[in-house]
Amino acid sequence: IARHEFPELPGLTDFERTSLAVAFYAVEQEALRMGVSIQSSELVGLIPQKALAGTSPEALKLVDFHPGKILETRLAAVLAHR
């Protein structure tokens, strides 16, 4: 089975207007319409905790996700070492 990778989507700039769950679902539905499925997704950079409201890293099929990818967690860790 061939694995095809596609370039990332443009970053969401207002996750309160369009949630990650809504954006992911729309992409997933379009992929299914084209006869393919999403095997995984990737977060590049950090994400505000609030952006994950209503979903989970598992639901978004995020690979290599860990608490250090959450902006507030990362800030707290940096400030703790000052």
Side-chain angles (χ1 to χ4, degrees):
I1 297 176
R3 179 173 183 226
H4 300 282
E5 293 185 13
F6 294 90
E8 76 265 6
L9 298 171
L12 293 175
T13 58
D14 189 351
F15 63 83
E16 291 176 324
R17 184 173 181 164
T18 305
S19 72
L20 288 177
V22 167
F24 184 84
Y25 180 76
V27 171
E28 187 172 48
Q29 291 306 301
E30 184 64 16
L32 290 172
R33 187 184 70 75
M34 298 174 75
V36 296
S37 64
I38 297 175
Q39 299 301 309
S40 64
S41 66
E42 179 179 17
L43 173 66
V44 178
L46 302 175
I47 186 170
Q49 177 68 48
K50 192 173 179 182
L52 289 171
T55 191
S56 68
E58 296 79 20
L60 300 172
K61 300 182 182 182
L62 286 169
V63 295
D64 299 326
F65 186 84
H66 53 83
K69 292 277 195 170
I70 297 173
L71 177 63
E72 294 84 352
T73 303
R74 180 69 175 196
L75 285 172
V78 169
L79 292 174
H81 290 96
R82 291 184 95 195

